[in-house]
Amino acid sequence: MKKILILGAGIYQVPLIRAAKRMGLYTIVASIPGNYPGFPLADKVCYENTVDHEAILKIAREENVDGIVTAGTDVAVITIGRVCDALGLRGLSAEAAEIASNKLAMKSRYEEYGVRTARFRKIPFAREDYEELLEGLEFPLIFKSVDSSGSRGITRVDSPADFREARHNALENTRSDYFIAEEFIEGDEFGAQAFVQDGKVEFILPHGDYVFRGDTGVPVGHYAPFETDRACAPDVREQLEKAIAAMKLDNCAINADFIMRDGKTYVLELGGRSGATCLAELVSIYYGFDYYEKILRVALGEHVDFRAIKDDSGRPRLTPNASMLLTSDRDGVILSQENRNDPSDPDIVQIQFDYAPGDSVHAFRVGPHRIGHVITKGDTLGAAVEKLHQALEHIDIRVAGEA
Ligand SMILES: Nc1ncnc2c1ncn2[C@@H]1O[C@H](COP(=O)(O)OP(=O)(O)O)[C@@H](O)[C@H]1O
Ligand SMILES: [Mg+2]
């Protein structure tokens, strides 16, 4: 029986853990202790912090695992790179993982490899001679801590009056002694899921993002295909392939963030793991295969076929789909959850409630405040999106608390 070590036990690792179990793998889950839904599904649980690469390496060694992987989180990626290097397991390298986990390292690579990205500068926290440091950049800018995720430590800077607060925000969200300032790209944000295996980009699936406008944009849903402008597809592919090469990403899933401005793709960042917020499901539904299973098989060292399933005439059958998080508009306790959708509707792929009545939830501001999700499909993207809105209308979650 093969052994897989999965890092994280949260909502975005649960489907990966389930897939591992379905495949008959001995499934070890490592995570800090907490009320995480992945624990009861695992064959074995190790209560370790997934960023503690020494501790995770020790587990991987002692258990003699055949693979190590995660889904939907950047936090554990450096550990995966280090363990793969140390034990000769299949997965991204420590070097690639480190580049992916530092925005300055990543952007410097992009610049070196000619990837189109916002112009940027490194700013040591110790220096405040911004005029000199920002020479050549134009407002608006965006200040970013280099080693955080989920929009933490990121502030838009419209004029020098915003410098102090933006620097402070970066400082509060970093372990580094510098941050980066980059030009703000005014355009349409979108993303892509991709996979690279033995140096070959196996697929690139651009997707549209539904964004909640809080302090910064937070993705709350996605849809595919993303075809607002077919003419741009070759440019997306070119920039993504260059970025993958620049970061030396290999044998891993890729979660990419882009902005489209004037028909040109700007790369914001790439992560060496599959996306959260129903993005792995988006890949599975679109191509008609189980993406989690493929991610696991690559981690176990198999050579995996990523081609879409075919219809009767031998053409790839691609299924449009859409998803949305369920959220609360207030902090409080769930009173009731009602789903009035037809359970036999084939185009409602999944409706998930993360909590039960009596549980406390947050007013939505960031991704982890989600309280569930809905995923739909259709013959066309329009049908999938319409089904999504219908399905959402037939869900009522009542939360007691102050709005
Ligand atoms: N150069 C930029 N121009 C415009 N918006 C940006 C830029 N950089 C980041 N953003 C916005 O901030 C969000 C988070 O930035 P990102 O670099 O992806 O960091 P994180 O690791 O926190 O996701 C992006 O999704 C986008 O909405
Ligand atoms: Mg991002």
Side-chain angles (χ1 to χ4, degrees), residues 291-344:
Y291 190 35
Y292 290 109
E293 184 182 320
K294 299 211 184 253
I295 289 170
L296 288 160
R297 288 194 188 284
V298 171
L300 292 171
E302 289 176 39
H303 190 85
V304 172
D305 182 348
F306 284 90
R307 282 174 299 182
I309 55 152
K310 296 194 166 74
D311 62 19
D312 294 341
S313 62
R315 278 190 298 265
R317 188 167 69 212
L318 304 171
T319 304
N321 64 88
S323 63
M324 191 75 81
L325 297 185
L326 297 171
T327 59
S328 172
D329 63 357
R330 63 197 65 196
D331 288 339
V333 172
I334 297 180
L335 286 179
S336 61
Q337 303 189 118
E338 192 190 359
N339 172 15
R340 285 178 280 104
N341 286 287
D342 174 1
S344 64

Side-chain angles (χ1 to χ4, degrees), residues 140-143 154-159 162 166 184 186 215-216:
L141 303 172
I142 186 157
F143 282 11
I154 296 187
T155 315
R156 180 177 160 137
V157 171
D158 286 311
S159 74
D162 299 332
F184 189 92
E186 211 80 60
D215 304 337
T216 53

Side-chain angles (χ1 to χ4, degrees), residues 8 18 28 75 84 89 108 143 166 170 217 269 301-302 333-334:
R18 284 194 204 280
I28 306 170
V75 172
C84 285
L89 297 173
S108 303
F143 282 11
E269 62 166 355
E302 289 176 39
V333 172
I334 297 180

Side-chain angles (χ1 to χ4, degrees), residues 178-199:
Y178 57 86
F179 63 101
I180 57 168
E182 58 181 72
E183 287 185 333
F184 189 92
I185 310 290
E186 211 80 60
D188 296 317
E189 204 167 335
F190 69 106
Q193 299 303 296
F195 203 99
V196 54
Q197 177 175 231
D198 295 333

Side-chain angles (χ1 to χ4, degrees), residues 222 277-282 285 321-325 345-352 373-377 384 387-388 391-392 395:
H222 301 283
T277 343
C278 308
L279 279 167
E281 287 73 11
L282 172 141
I285 299 165
N321 64 88
S323 63
M324 191 75 81
L325 297 185
D345 187 332
D347 288 333
I348 298 179
V349 181
Q350 197 177 44
I351 293 178
Q352 178 175 313
H373 67 237
V374 178
I375 307 174
T376 59
K377 64 185 177 64
K387 180 63 72 176
L388 179 66
L392 288 166
I395 292 172

Side-chain angles (χ1 to χ4, degrees), residues 74 103 144 149-151 154 189 255-257 268-269 273:
D74 284 320
K103 288 182 168 57
K144 297 183 177 181
S149 59
S151 295
I154 296 187
E189 204 167 335
N255 178 62
D257 295 342
L268 281 185
E269 62 166 355
R273 44 83 185 179

